Amino acid sequence: MGRFRTDLAFKLAAPDEVRIYRDGQHIGDIFKHEDILDPGQHHYLIWLAEDWRGWKRVTERSRLRETAERWVETHPLL
């Protein structure tokens, strides 16, 4: 699979929230949640504006940027 190029910027909004920007426009958020079934572990939820697909859950922090880029590139309206 090819590498996605979205020119995204990520900015910390709160200890458990990162905002996603594209061309200076806020297009979504990433939220960090504790896994209630495995205390001490976390997962992340990517939410993009006007996306009928809903949340994208990511369990590995190291894959957040790659997953967010793919989610933006495949967004039906962005």
Side-chain angles (χ1 to χ4, degrees), residues 7-39:
D7 300 323
L8 297 181
F10 300 88
K11 297 191 181 188
L12 189 64
D16 60 350
E17 179 184 354
V18 172
R19 296 220 169 123
I20 304 170
Y21 293 88
R22 185 178 191 184
D23 298 327
Q25 184 177 17
H26 178 228
I27 62 167
D29 297 285
I30 299 173
F31 298 96
K32 179 180 177 182
H33 285 271
E34 185 170 351
D35 188 337
I36 61 171
L37 300 177
D38 192 2

Side-chain angles (χ1 to χ4, degrees), residues 41-58:
Q41 297 299 314
H42 296 88
H43 62 263
Y44 304 87
L45 298 174
I46 300 172
W47 178 85
L48 299 177
E50 299 182 28
D51 194 343
W52 55 267
R53 298 172 298 177
W55 301 93
K56 177 68 174 172
R57 185 173 181 260
V58 180

Side-chain angles (χ1 to χ4, degrees), residues 1-5 65-66 69:
M1 182 185 314
R3 189 109 176 120
F4 290 99
R5 297 204 68 227
R65 179 176 292 274
E66 171 189 351
E69 288 174 351

